[in-house]
Amino acid sequence: MSDLRNVSSNPHIRAKDTTSRIMLTVVIALLLPAFFGIYNFGFRALVLILISIATCVLTEYIYEKLMKKPITIGDFSAVVTGLLLALNLPVSVPFWIPVVGGVFAILVVKMLFGGLGQNFMNPALAGRCFLLISFTSLMTNFNCDAYTGATPLASLKAGESVNVLNMILGRTAGTIGETSVIAIVLGACVLIVAGVIDLRVPGSYIASFAIFVLLFAALSGIAISPAYLSAQLAGGGLMLGAFFMATDYVTRPVTKKGQYIYGVILGFLTAIFRIFGASAEGVSYAIILGNLLVPLIERYTMPKAFGKGGERS
């Protein structure tokens, strides 16, 4: 019998936690913004969430059955992908949109690259970006029974005033899961208390975004005020992305220094997209581009080997 040990694919966790337990904790934390989204936008939001989750789970199951691979839907990672994808959708999209996005996220981004731990970008965000590029008009239509008109970030970009308190509470147009900062932060607290995430990535992301958005706004001649900065922080998918997607174990750097650098890069890119881009938002594209830079970040932040031929850190 061989003495070699079998090592599973990353993420590797130095704890008694299992992948399924971590993913289940993420699902529980995401229920807070999900429930608020259902309360805010109505029954249609619930249907979209269920379709998205079912599509992601079935796609993973069918692929693994056809390829005669072990069935991994019990690790809840497909559920997390489906839930995150749904929370990044406007409630007005047709019911086939989460089906297309879910199949792309699981089949193309995750399973064709080897499954959980092998994907080079966040599947849910990749699915959303694919939908944004392919069906732009549907993915940027936020009119529904509850709200009509532009999103707060679009109004802010047009130079109009916005109600920051409504943005914090969630009484605004937007995607299903991004509107209530309170619900998102409470969900993030669940992850922090459970030890699933820490503040290195989200903290450096949000702080650097605030610095860069003020700098770029000043360079662009935009009137800066506490209300403007508060609206930028509370609006769009910044909080949802910072706490629930930028912290993805697979697509973030593994080194502590690298995680700080990664967060700053995300803050810089998001500010660039929001201030200088045609769209009022930019979180999804910023995190996807940040995912692509992770191998380079890790290359220059990986600790040096200690011993013969190595260097003291």
Side-chain angles (χ1 to χ4, degrees), residues 3 28 34 49 56 62 67 78 83 90 93 105 120 133 136 140 144 149 190 195 205 216 221 254-255 264:
D3 292 329
I28 293 171
I49 290 171
C56 289
I62 292 170
M67 296 294 107
L83 185 50
V93 296
F120 65 96
I133 294 169
T136 306
T140 55
C144 59
V190 172
Y205 184 179
F216 296 149
V254 297
T255 62
V264 172

Side-chain angles (χ1 to χ4, degrees), residues 183-312:
I184 294 168
V185 171
L186 288 175
C189 289
V190 172
L191 297 182
I192 294 169
V193 171
V196 174
I197 68 170
D198 54 45
L199 290 175
R200 281 193 290 269
V201 171
S204 57
Y205 184 179
I206 295 169
S208 61
F209 168 77
I211 294 170
F212 285 122
V213 81
L214 290 177
L215 174 62
F216 296 149
L219 293 174
S220 300
I222 298 173
I224 299 172
S225 67
Y228 176 83
L229 180 59
S230 299
Q232 286 285 0
L233 290 171
L238 178 65
M239 293 298 171
L240 186 65
F243 287 108
F244 287 97
M245 290 176 281
T247 55
D248 176 26
Y249 284 7
V250 179
T251 56
R252 74 177 187 189
V254 297
T255 62
K256 293 181 179 179
K257 186 187 297 184
Q259 288 172 18
Y260 287 118
I261 295 172
Y262 176 65
V264 172
I265 290 173
L266 297 185
F268 172 79
L269 290 174
T270 304
I272 284 281
F273 290 143
R274 283 195 180 180
I275 301 299
F276 301 112
S279 173
E281 183 55 290
V283 171
S284 296
Y285 292 118
I287 296 177
I288 288 295
L289 288 174
N291 291 162
L292 298 177
L293 293 174
V294 165
L296 186 63
I297 295 171
E298 290 184 336
R299 178 180 178 183
Y300 290 102
T301 60
M302 195 65 68
K304 300 291 185 181
F306 182 74
K308 186 176 180 180
E311 297 178 10
R312 293 179 182 271

Side-chain angles (χ1 to χ4, degrees), residues 136-157:
T136 306
S137 60
L138 295 176
M139 289 293 292
T140 55
N141 177 19
F142 297 99
N143 292 324
C144 59
D145 294 337
Y147 304 100
T148 58
T151 62
L153 282 185
S155 299
L156 198 67
K157 195 173 184 67

Side-chain angles (χ1 to χ4, degrees), residues 1-22:
M1 179 178 292
S2 173
D3 292 329
L4 296 176
R5 295 179 182 271
N6 292 322
V7 181
S8 63
S9 62
N10 61 317
H12 299 131
I13 304 163
R14 297 186 181 92
K16 296 180 180 179
D17 291 326
T18 61
T19 300
S20 59
R21 181 179 177 276
I22 290 172

